[in-house]
Amino acid sequence: ILAVGAHPDDVEIGVGGILLMHKKAGDRIVVLALSDGEHGGDADERMEEFAKAMHEMGAIGVRGMMPDTLIPDDGETVRLIRKVVSYFKPTIVYTHTNADAHQDHRAAHRATYIATRDVSEVYA
């Protein structure tokens, strides 16, 4: 399972319950936080919370280190997500919806859909 969020807390807020169900089923969970969320608070503190959340969920956390509020929806982001997909080989991916009000969430959605075109199940 791969969950892609624009910011460190997006995934557990958006699909935390679903990921816990996957954990209970024995699935490997990988969470990609595209940015450190530095405009939503202290980046170091947010990444510490991310690490704790990943530990609690039994998930592998991957830090994308993209610029908060400026995540592009093209090449750089697509390449990062493709690299994670290539390495972990998920069969199910979760990400933001394109209808979200935050520009980083929409960019994460678009880049994820491009980068995961070979994954059979991608959910927003």
Side-chain angles (χ1 to χ4, degrees):
I1 306 302
L2 171 63
V4 179
H7 310 104
D9 54 0
D10 289 345
V11 169
E12 62 263 27
I13 290 170
V15 292
I18 291 169
L19 295 181
L20 290 174
M21 288 176 27
H22 282 293
K23 176 184 173 186
K24 189 174 181 178
D27 296 327
R28 179 180 61 180
I29 301 165
V30 178
V31 177
L32 170 59
L34 293 173
S35 79
D36 290 357
E38 60 271 15
H39 290 292
D42 181 85
D44 292 334
E45 197 173 287
R46 291 188 79 183
M47 291 312 296
E48 284 178 31
E49 292 171 354
F50 176 71
K52 287 179 186 176
M54 296 306 98
H55 177 73
E56 290 295 320
M57 289 194 305
I60 299 166
V62 178
R63 185 177 178 190
M65 300 180 68
M66 302 200 90
D68 188 19
T69 72
L70 298 170
I71 295 174
D73 64 355
D74 58 8
E76 181 182 359
T77 310
V78 171
R79 280 189 295 281
L80 170 62
I81 298 167
R82 291 272 319 151
K83 187 175 181 180
V84 172
V85 167
S86 176
Y87 186 81
F88 290 104
K89 300 185 182 358
T91 56
I92 299 172
V93 176
Y94 297 98
T95 193
H96 299 281
T97 174
N98 199 39
D100 198 296
H102 196 293
Q103 69 274 11
D104 282 349
H105 297 182
R106 291 189 310 272
H109 167 86
R110 290 189 296 268
T112 300
Y113 266 75
I114 294 166
T116 61
R117 62 187 169 271
D118 298 327
V119 178
S120 61
E121 296 184 60
V122 181
Y123 301 101

